[in-house]
Structures are given as C-alpha cells and as structure tokens.
C-alpha cells in the first residue's frame, strides 16, 4: 500500500528525538511514510513487576526467507539512488527495527520476535540538512518505486552517516613476546592479550607524523613472493593523501612505517590486569585467614570449617598468577619508550579511494603493509582465537580451552556456492578488532547502498555488507576496528570492517571509564564491511599478483 501525503503527518519534537531510542547516537527522525500515530512505547522491566520503562528499538537483519529478498535487485538499488540524487542522502538499506520486549525474555524468545518484525527501508541523510517536507517527499517517491517492484513496505528517513573506524592513538602497544609463553598455573585476560600477539586482529598505527590507527585483518602473500603483507583499510594508513592517489612502493620511496597497536589496547589490558590483581589479592587474604584459623583452632572448635580443596589449590596457584600479571604490566608500561622496537613494517600498496571501474559498485578501501618477519618471533599466520565465539558461531568446542582457535580461510563456504552468493545470505559471523575485541553479528541477506565520495560533480555509490550485532554485543565494531576480518563458523573470511552507522565518543576512551561505559550502553548500531571477494580481486588487479592467505 502506498501512503498518501495527506495522511502522513509531521512528527512532533518529542517523536523526532525519541523515535529511535535504543539506536546508538539516538539519531533524529526526519520523516516516515506510516500514518500510524506514534506513542512512546513501554515494556515491563520484569515478568512479575508493574514497573515499566521506555522500550528500545534495535536492528535485525533481512534473512534468506524474507519475501523482500526475491524482489530486491541491483537495478532497484540504482533506481532508488537516482531518485535520491537531488537529496543529501548518505546510505539506505532494508532492515527490521523491532522494539525490545524487556529483560525477562530469553535471547531465543527475543530473536523469534525480532524475526517476525516488519521490514522497512531506512534512508539516512546528513545531519540538519533537510526538513520534514523534503524528507516525506523523498520517502514517498522511494515507496512508490518499491511498490512498482512488488515491495510493499514503509520508508523512514533519519539523520546519520557512515563513519570510518580509524581512530587517534597517542602511544603504542608493546609486549614481551616471552611473556606470552604463559605458565600452566596462570590464567590471564586472554581476550586482550591475543590482540597484542601476531594473530589477525591486532592494532596498527603510524610510527610518526600521523595519528590514525586501525586493525590488521589478514596476512597474505602475493604470487610466489616470500614477503608477507598485512591487509587493512586505506583510510587507516593513507596519511591523508588525495583520494585519487594510488601507491606502489619503489626502491626510491621513503618508507612509511607502522607499529603494533595503540593506546586503547594498553588501557584495556592494564585495567583488566589491575582488576584481576585486586580480586586475586583479596581472595588470597580471605582464603589464607580461613586456613590459618583452621590450622590454629580446627581440631578444638567444631564450628570452624576446613578450607576446601579448591581454596587450597587457589592459595598455591594464585601467587604465580600475581607474579605473571606483574611482569606483563611492566612490559606494557615500557611501550612508550620502546616504540621503535615494535615496528611492524611499511606501506607497500593502496589503490585510489574511489569506485572500482573493474567492479562497479565497489569502493576501493584497502591497503597492504609489508611486514618485518623479524619482529614476529612466534611467526605470522592467520590463526584466530575464538574461545568466546565458538558456540555462538556453531563451532565444535575443543578439549583445551586455550586452543580454541581456527585458521582463517578464503573461498566459498560450500563447494556449490559462488562467492557472490555467500554475500547474499544471512548467517552468523564473528570478528576480532583492535578496539572491541571479539564480537558476534549476523549479516543481512541484502547489502547496504552507501554514498561514495563525489568526483567530476557526479554522485557515486557502493554496495557494502551489513552486519547487525547479536547476543550481548551492542556494537559489532568500534573506532579502531577498520580492517578487521569478518568470518563465519567455518573460518571462511567474508568481509573486512570499514565503518558503522555511529561513532561513540566513549569508544575512544579507556575501558575503565564509567562514563564511557554508560555512554556506550545507550544504543545499538550496525557495521558496514567490504566483501573480501572484491578486496582480493582488486589487490590482484593493482599488484598483478594473486593474493593468498598465509
């Protein structure tokens, strides 16, 4: 059904501000084609209580069995982009935006409810760029176009844009590789220790002269060359060069060096180490008092309980943990003074930041760094630890929890599927990024259309994978995660993080900041990613060599 402009109404100030409550950044509503009057939604805080709170919206991806999938085509995307060309749009995609039902529902119940939510076309425009009259005009035009393609859904226009995930870094991450040979008795905050090793997902930033940082997503070789290259995004390492410039290193070029990781990773690890130290020290004191009391009075006082075998084991084991954490913290605090000793390598290739002429619709945002193998004593590979994601991604659990890792691969997930078909399916994925670490998400069966940089007074747009966070993750990616590989439960790489719909100012602060955590909890966002098929094809087109994963 096509909405009539006479039935559509201009939202009130409250609706404009509160309509997207629960979405990161709380973007403003501009216009919507639905004529249903908006009332601030509420949900129960608990199943048995009477207390209510404002219900939060969230994103849910289009899945394979949704009716819109069979009608959504590239030709339709192009037509919609042409309709939107006079307006300041930034991206659009179909999506579901259900309301949360409260904390008393299980995750599976919530997901079943989300799946039945209606589909809508979400269009984003630049902040403060248009008024309701212009917004409803563009929404109705798009709705008529969708109706002509047998798609009967509502259209919403909101403020927002895609944000790249390169961030500022002040000093770099250093860790003594020998400390990663962890004693058997010690258990540490491995999630962030992994981010400082040579596994894909570690942070990278400039040695000098610039302060952008991101994530190293994959390690590859080119043809028969024995050199190893790290893959990340162009906007992470291009040092603000003109968009049209491509780069291929020559013997005469002055090297642009990059180093391992950045301030956020240090802050997270040190915070976790400090918290763990405090917890262990307090527990040791409690268990030791209990043991001393038993040793002195246990035989004569029947009311004094003996320490358990678990408590005695902790008293023997935890001092080793404390010593290990202390050495690890000392190594981290040497980072600023030892920056040059953690060189990763130098920029070797990147393309112009533009829409590909070979593959129309693909934005060329990748770069390769030639890595110094001498600075990676444990070797360079594409092993990714997945201890926190295996069950969610459908992976079998392994007997040794420390060895829960997979080798990232490239190719079709199944022999009978072409790479492009994989990008059109909805399935669970994971990623390891330098800022947000391990997160889970679900791809949409329909890709997002994102407005690209203007050249020659013409508007270009690209197709990008769309990932919605699932489970307990509100953000699939955060600033500093650009370049991170996205992979499925088989270890097949399907994409590379390039940005998201919102940048939390809090995400660039240390994890220990309570204000940062409060800010980050305000809403959910979506992540944009480049298809790995496009990226690797373009690498071969620019370098002349076939890229292979190490």
């Amino acid at each position: 059904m096509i909405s009539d402009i006479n039935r559509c109404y201009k939202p009130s100030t409250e609706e404009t501000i509160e309509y997207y409550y629960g979405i990161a950044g709380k973007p403003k509503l501009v216009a919507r084609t639905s004529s249903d009057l908006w009332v601030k939604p509420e949900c129960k805080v608990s199943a048995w209580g009477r207390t209510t709170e404002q219900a939060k919206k969230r994103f849910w991806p289009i899945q394979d069995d949704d009716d819109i999938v069979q009608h959504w085509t590239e030709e339709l995307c192009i037509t919609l982009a042409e309709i939107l060309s006079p307006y300041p749009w930034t991206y659009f995609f179909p999506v579901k935006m259900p309301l949360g039902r409260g904390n008393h529902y299980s995750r599976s119940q919530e997901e079943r409810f989300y799946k039945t939510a209606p589909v809508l076309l979400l269009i984003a425009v630049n902040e403060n760029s248009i008024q309701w009259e212009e917004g409803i005009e563009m929404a109705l035009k798009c709705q008529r176009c969708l109706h002509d393609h047998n798609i009967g859904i509502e259209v919403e226009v909101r403020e927002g844009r895609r944000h790249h995930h390169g961030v500022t870094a002040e000093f770099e991450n250093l860790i003594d590789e020998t400390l990663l040979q962890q004693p058997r008795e010690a258990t540490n905050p491995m999630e962030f220790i992994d981010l400082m090793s040579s596994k894909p997902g570690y942070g990278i930033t400039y040695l000098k002269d610039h302060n952008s940082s991101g994530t190293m997503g994959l390690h590859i070789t080119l043809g028969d060359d024995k050199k190893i290259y790290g893959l990340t995004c162009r906007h992470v390492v291009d040092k603000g060069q003109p968009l049209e410039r491509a780069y291929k290193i020559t013997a005469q070029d002055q090297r642009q060096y990059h180093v391992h990781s950045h301030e956020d990773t240090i802050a997270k690890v040190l915070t976790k180490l400090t918290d763990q130290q405090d917890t262990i020290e307090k527990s040791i004191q409690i268990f030791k008092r209990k043991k001393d009391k038993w040793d002195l009075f246990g035989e004569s006082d029947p009311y004094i309980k003996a320490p358990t075998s678990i408590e005695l084991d902790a008293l023997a084991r935890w001092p080793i943990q404390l010593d290990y954490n202390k050495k690890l913290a000392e190594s981290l605090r040497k980072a600023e003074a030892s920056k040059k000793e953690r060189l990763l390598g130098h920029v070797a290739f990147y393309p112009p930041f533009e829409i590909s002429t070979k593959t129309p619709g693909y934005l060329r945002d990748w770069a390769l760094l030639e890595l110094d193998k001498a600075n990676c004593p444990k070797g360079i590979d594409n092993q990714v630890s997945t201890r926190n994601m295996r069950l969610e991604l459908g992976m079998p659990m392994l007997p040794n929890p420390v060895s829960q890792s997979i080798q990232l691969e490239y190719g079709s997930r199944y022999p009978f599927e072409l790479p492009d078909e994989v990008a059109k399916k909805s399935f669970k994925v994971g990623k390891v990024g330098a800022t947000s670490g391990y997160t889970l998400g679900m791809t949409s069966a329909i890709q997002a259309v994102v407005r690209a940089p203007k050249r020659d007074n013409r508007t270009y747009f690209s197709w990008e994978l769309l990932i919605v966070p699932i489970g307990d993750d509100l953000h699939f990616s955060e600033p500093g995660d650009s370049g991170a590989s996205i992979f499925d439960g088989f270890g097949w790489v399907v994409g590379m993080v390039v940005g998201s719909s919102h940048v939390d100012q809090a995400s660039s602060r240390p994890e220990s900041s309570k204000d940062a955590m409060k800010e980050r909890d305000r809403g959910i966002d979506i992540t944009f990613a480049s298809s790995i098929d496009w990226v690797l094809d373009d690498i071969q087109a620019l370098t002349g060599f076939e890229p292979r994963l190490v």
Side-chain angles (χ1 to χ4, degrees), residues 58 60 107 111 392 440 469-474:
R58 66 160 299 142
W60 195 251
R107 185 183 300 177
E111 291 185 359
E392 291 283 1
L440 291 162
I470 60 174
D472 297 328
D473 295 318
L474 289 174

Side-chain angles (χ1 to χ4, degrees), residues 415-445:
F416 53 82
E417 284 187 325
L418 297 173
D420 283 347
E421 293 175 340
V422 176
K424 296 177 182 178
K425 290 184 176 294
S426 177
F427 50 90
K428 289 182 179 179
V429 291
K431 80 102 187 62
V432 184
T435 300
S436 58
Y438 303 83
T439 54
L440 291 162
M442 184 176 291
T443 64
S444 174

Side-chain angles (χ1 to χ4, degrees), residues 458-471:
R458 295 176 60 191
T459 298
Y460 296 84
F461 61 88
S462 62
W463 281 280
E464 294 182 359
L465 301 179
L466 186 69
I467 299 98
V468 173
I470 60 174

Side-chain angles (χ1 to χ4, degrees), residues 30-146:
V30 176
R32 59 189 182 97
T33 56
S34 173
S35 59
D36 294 339
L37 289 175
W38 178 81
V39 178
K40 185 183 290 188
E42 293 185 342
C43 62
K44 286 185 178 181
V45 175
S46 62
W48 55 86
R50 295 182 179 180
T51 305
T52 61
E53 63 182 7
Q54 185 174 351
K56 296 180 179 180
K57 280 185 179 287
R58 66 160 299 142
F59 292 109
W60 195 251
I62 305 300
Q63 297 181 277
D64 304 354
D65 55 355
D66 286 318
D67 291 338
I68 190 174
V69 173
Q70 59 184 323
H71 299 294
W72 191 268
T73 63
E74 289 187 3
E75 290 74 18
L76 173 57
C77 291
I78 294 171
T79 303
L80 289 170
E82 290 174 348
I83 292 172
L84 294 173
S85 59
Y87 305 97
W89 69 281
T90 55
Y91 58 78
F92 66 82
F93 51 81
V95 71
K96 299 176 183 180
M97 297 191 71
L99 289 168
R101 305 180 70 192
N103 299 329
H104 55 287
Y105 287 92
S106 68
R107 185 183 300 177
S108 60
Q109 288 175 318
E110 287 275 326
E111 291 185 359
R112 284 197 296 271
F113 171 70
Y114 296 155
K115 189 173 182 179
T116 60
V119 177
L120 60 88
L121 178 67
L122 187 64
I123 304 171
V125 296
N126 288 320
E127 290 85 351
N128 302 314
S129 59
I130 62 173
Q131 300 299 315
W132 175 80
E133 290 77 11
E134 202 172 6
I136 195 64
E137 177 184 74
M138 64 188 290
L140 289 172
K141 287 180 180 178
C142 290
Q143 190 182 48
R144 293 188 190 99
C145 175
L146 293 171

Side-chain angles (χ1 to χ4, degrees), residues 194-441:
D194 285 341
L195 299 183
M196 297 183 295
S197 68
S198 298
K199 301 176 184 292
Y202 56 85
I204 57 172
T205 190
Y206 293 80
L207 173 64
K208 59 182 181 179
D209 299 334
H210 211 67
N211 59 5
S212 179
S213 62
T215 295
M216 194 73 81
L218 282 175
H219 299 130
I220 69 171
T221 58
L222 296 176
D224 297 325
D225 191 350
K226 294 184 179 180
K227 295 176 182 177
I228 296 180
Y229 298 89
L231 174 64
T232 189
C233 290
R234 183 194 193 272
H235 68 262
V236 170
V237 301
D238 65 6
K239 211 172 182 179
Q241 293 295 327
L243 298 180
E244 64 273 12
R245 186 190 176 193
Y247 181 74
K248 289 185 182 181
I249 194 167
T250 66
Q252 293 74 34
D253 286 344
Q254 183 176 356
R255 300 295 192 258
Q256 177 187 305
Y257 289 100
H258 287 255
V259 297
H260 195 295
S261 217
H262 52 74
E263 182 186 10
D264 272 353
T265 310
I266 295 178
K268 288 175 180 178
V269 176
L270 287 176
T271 297
K272 286 186 174 291
L273 287 173
T274 301
D275 292 345
Q276 191 182 64
Q277 294 289 81
D278 292 343
T279 300
I280 291 175
E281 288 174 352
K282 291 176 182 177
S283 298
I284 287 177
Q285 292 176 4
I286 294 171
F287 295 164
K288 190 175 186 303
R289 283 197 298 267
K290 185 175 181 179
K291 181 179 181 300
D292 290 345
K293 195 172 182 179
W294 170 259
D295 291 341
L296 289 172
F297 308 109
E299 294 184 2
S300 59
D301 190 339
Y303 295 101
I304 296 177
K305 293 183 179 180
T308 66
S309 59
I310 295 176
E311 292 167 343
L312 292 173
D313 177 67
L315 284 173
R317 181 166 49 86
W318 282 354
I320 299 174
Q321 177 73 66
L322 290 174
D323 183 63
Y324 173 73
N325 285 6
K326 182 179 178 181
K327 291 179 181 178
L328 189 59
E330 288 173 355
S331 180
L332 288 171
R333 292 190 178 102
K334 294 177 182 177
E336 188 173 13
S338 306
K339 187 174 182 179
K340 290 185 179 180
E341 296 181 14
R342 286 298 293 159
L343 285 177
L344 279 172
H346 55 267
V347 175
F349 302 96
Y350 58 70
F353 190 75
E354 64 183 12
I355 298 298
S356 170
T357 55
K358 179 185 176 186
T359 310
Y362 161 60
L363 183 61
R364 308 174 75 188
D365 186 8
W366 61 266
L368 294 181
L369 275 65
E370 183 181 332
L371 302 181
D372 185 348
K373 290 183 279 188
N375 285 332
C376 299
K378 297 185 71 176
I380 302 175
D381 57 30
N382 285 303
Q383 287 277 336
V384 173
S385 177
T386 55
R387 65 180 58 81
N388 295 337
M389 298 189 288
R390 297 191 70 87
L391 288 178
E392 291 283 1
L393 289 175
M395 302 176 186
M397 294 301 289
L398 302 178
N400 180 5
V402 178
S403 64
Q404 303 287 354
S405 62
I406 56 173
Q407 173 75 20
L408 297 183
E409 304 283 355
Y410 167 67
S412 176
R413 296 193 303 154
Y414 305 103
F416 53 82
E417 284 187 325
L418 297 173
D420 283 347
E421 293 175 340
V422 176
K424 296 177 182 178
K425 290 184 176 294
S426 177
F427 50 90
K428 289 182 179 179
V429 291
K431 80 102 187 62
V432 184
T435 300
S436 58
Y438 303 83
T439 54
L440 291 162

